[in-house]
Amino acid sequence: MPDASRPSPAPTPHRGARATRAKLVSLTVLANMTGLLIAIWVAKTLRSGHASDAAQTGWMFAYYGAMFVVAIVDAFLVDALLFGGSFRRKYLQGQDGRQLERQGDDEELAASFKTNGIGFPLVVVLCGGLTYLLFNFANGDFDTYHRTIGIHLSTLRNGDETERRAAVIELSVRRAPQVLPALEHALAQEGDTGGWAAWALGRFQDLPTKRPVVVPLVAAARSSDPRVRHEALIALGRLQHRPMAPYIQREVERERDAGQGIDPRLLYALGSIQVTSSVPLLQGLLHGADEQTQRLAAWALAQHRDQRGGRDAVDVLEARLPSASADVRCAIVHALGILADEASNVPLVRAYDDSPPDALAYVCPRITMSLSPDGAGDDDVELLRPERKFGMKIILAMGQMRATTSDVRDAVEPWLSELAHDPVALPEVREGSASLLAGIRGGRNDADAKTVDEALGLPAEP
């Protein structure tokens, strides 16, 4: 039987400090595991796309709330290990050195003289940063996903029409796996949302295979909603889906016959698809449409240079050149330069000779066109560049096609030689004519003629 009169043994030194640290370690491990499980569950739930906006707010509160709790617990453990728990003892337990001395805990008493030089709040911030990195690593950078994609997916499901349009614009430049199914679902809706979704899918030109984008757009191109059908056709043109060329042509004809302005994006689509069956339609627009449509028709015709039968576009452009307005003539000259048929040198020479000095000095403008449904945003293309004076545009176009056959050279070389020494001509035209003439002669007979570099006064290569 133990003797109750005998005093119990004195506490083992440091027992209190060790017990406190053991409890903090256990609490820290439990808090981190629980917080990580909550973070994984929240990320999985939000990525599934089934949470409403209200529920999503609650889930995000749980996500960051768990992160905050874990950071606080971790900070208490760091305070105990590095600073002897000075913050806990002083501000939570209200213990000072004399109390610790009466308790007989030498380790706690020694720790009381340590100074926490960086401060407990800073420890919390550092622990919070590490916790944030841990949670995001475990969840595949969920925070970035939610900020750039997840929140827009939720808006696309639950927002009003204006909010859905903004979400589609944001998602149009994202390439996460969740984006395509969401845009395809939006494409099935009527009205502006479906039209904007079609436009967004048309921006996915950088995919290794376009089939996941083309299939839903082809279905949308047969929609009874004219807005969805219209945008789907333009998107398929941008994606260069050639089987849709007849449908795009009919859409252009429908707008032309209705007497309304033709959407310039449809002409961009025809130029992107590049099927020679579009040439007759573009020829009609080049002669009978408004000036902007004529310029776009000229550009679209030039895109057929690599197609069998593309030579027909050259004849169409050359026939229209003499009677076109100034801006349309600029577009035709630009297009002939792209097509690069050397027989076009003669019509270009004639166009230069028939133009008065003020027309030759006229700066040919570019076309800046937005491909988005509302004509705004950052989805712009620039056509008919560079901007040059009309006289110089002609020289640049001739430089792209050169002159190799004897009959073309017989017509072009004397003209270039005269122009290179014409004091009335624009300085850049004189210089360009001399360079082009040197290139033609150098290409004609490399053994006898000067090289282009010599003609331009450039040093010979070593």
Side-chain angles (χ1 to χ4, degrees):
M1 294 287 295
D3 187 356
S5 62
R6 294 183 61 186
S8 59
T12 303
H14 318 313
R15 189 194 312 173
R18 291 175 180 174
T20 300
R21 291 174 186 172
K23 291 178 182 178
L24 281 174
V25 170
S26 300
L27 180 61
T28 301
V29 172
L30 178 62
N32 277 270
M33 293 300 296
T34 304
L36 190 58
L37 289 174
I38 293 174
I40 292 173
W41 179 262
V42 170
K44 182 179 179 181
T45 301
L46 293 181
R47 275 196 168 106
S48 68
H50 299 308
S52 64
D53 282 349
Q56 189 171 139
T57 302
W59 282 119
M60 292 304 298
F61 180 81
Y63 184 86
Y64 289 108
M67 191 181 301
F68 177 75
V69 171
V70 169
I72 292 292
V73 175
D74 289 348
F76 274 117
L77 179 61
V78 172
D79 180 63
L81 295 177
L82 298 183
F83 308 108
S86 60
F87 179 84
R88 170 179 52 82
R89 287 184 293 95
K90 183 175 181 180
Y91 294 100
L92 298 185
Q93 297 176 348
Q95 294 179 342
D96 56 20
R98 279 180 285 186
Q99 288 176 311
L100 295 173
E101 187 176 8
R102 286 196 298 269
Q103 293 173 5
D105 195 329
D106 297 335
E107 187 172 348
E108 287 283 324
L109 179 62
S112 67
F113 295 104
K114 293 182 179 180
T115 301
N116 186 348
I118 61 176
F120 186 77
L122 182 56
V123 175
V124 173
V125 171
L126 294 175
C127 291
L130 293 175
T131 303
Y132 173 84
L133 294 175
L134 173 64
F135 280 22
N136 273 291
F137 175 77
N139 289 297
D141 198 13
F142 168 74
D143 187 69
T144 300
Y145 160 82
H146 179 73
R147 185 176 64 253
T148 59
I149 296 175
I151 191 171
H152 302 302
L153 293 178
S154 176
T155 301
L156 193 58
R157 291 187 300 270
N158 307 305
D160 58 30
E161 193 166 86
T162 301
E163 293 170 338
R164 290 198 299 269
R165 180 178 66 180
V168 168
I169 293 173
E170 290 292 334
L171 292 173
S172 69
V173 295
R174 308 297 177 188
R175 297 297 180 264
Q178 301 89 342
V179 173
L180 273 179
L183 290 176
E184 184 176 348
H185 181 266
L187 182 64
Q189 304 178 36
E190 294 184 349
D192 285 344
T193 299
W196 277 93
W199 162 79
L201 290 171
R203 301 188 78 179
F204 281 67
Q205 299 160 294
D206 53 347
L207 294 181
T209 174
K210 296 184 177 66
R211 179 176 174 78
V213 180
V214 166
V215 171
L217 282 172
V218 169
R222 299 183 175 92
S223 171
S224 59
D225 188 316
R227 287 169 292 185
V228 176
R229 183 189 68 242
H230 188 84
E231 295 299 333
L233 288 173
I234 293 171
L236 288 165
R238 296 180 67 178
L239 294 168
Q240 297 182 314
H241 189 59
R242 295 168 69 88
M244 298 308 295
Y247 298 90
I248 300 174
Q249 293 164 6
R250 283 199 290 271
E251 189 77 2
V252 173
E253 292 168 349
R254 186 181 298 112
E255 293 188 354
R256 180 199 61 192
D257 296 341
Q260 64 188 73
I262 298 174
D263 189 336
R265 298 176 300 153
L266 289 171
L267 300 181
Y268 182 82
L270 287 180
S272 300
I273 286 182
Q274 302 165 11
V275 293
T276 53
S277 61
S278 299
V279 172
L281 174 60
L282 294 171
Q283 179 181 9
L285 296 176
L286 187 63
H287 285 270
D290 60 90
E291 191 172 84
Q292 181 78 341
T293 300
Q294 291 183 52
R295 297 172 69 205
L296 285 169
W299 172 86
L301 285 167
Q303 307 312 304
H304 294 76
R305 60 173 296 176
D306 297 324
Q307 306 303 314
R308 180 177 297 179
R311 180 65 179 77
D312 294 342
V314 176
D315 297 333
V316 170
L317 292 166
E318 289 179 357
R320 178 66 174 126
L321 180 59
S323 58
S325 65
D327 284 350
V328 176
R329 294 181 78 196
C330 286
I332 291 175
V333 169
H334 183 95
L336 289 173
I338 293 175
L339 290 165
D341 188 314
E342 72 167 315
S344 298
N345 276 288
V346 176
L348 290 175
V349 168
R350 190 179 304 118
Y352 187 98
D353 291 340
D354 292 343
S355 300
D358 58 337
L360 294 173
Y362 176 72
V363 178
C364 295
R366 73 182 73 182
I367 293 178
T368 300
M369 180 173 58
S370 174
L371 298 178
S372 62
D374 63 353
D378 60 348
D379 190 18
D380 294 343
V381 292
E382 290 191 339
L383 311 176
L384 306 181
R385 296 182 62 192
E387 293 176 313
R388 294 289 189 272
K389 295 177 181 178
F390 181 63
M392 192 60 193
K393 268 281 190 181
I394 291 176
I395 299 300
L396 291 175
M398 295 175 66
Q400 289 176 269
M401 61 189 66
R402 289 299 177 92
T404 58
T405 59
S406 58
D407 55 337
V408 175
R409 289 201 310 268
D410 290 344
V412 170
E413 289 187 28
W415 182 80
L416 288 174
S417 179
E418 182 179 350
L419 189 60
H421 298 88
D422 185 358
V424 180
L426 297 167
E428 59 266 37
V429 169
R430 291 199 301 269
E431 294 175 5
S433 300
S435 299
L436 177 56
L437 180 61
I440 293 174
R441 288 174 173 172
R444 179 184 60 180
N445 189 338
D446 291 330
D448 299 331
K450 292 183 177 181
T451 65
V452 178
D453 289 345
E454 290 173 338
L456 297 177
L458 300 176
E461 293 183 0

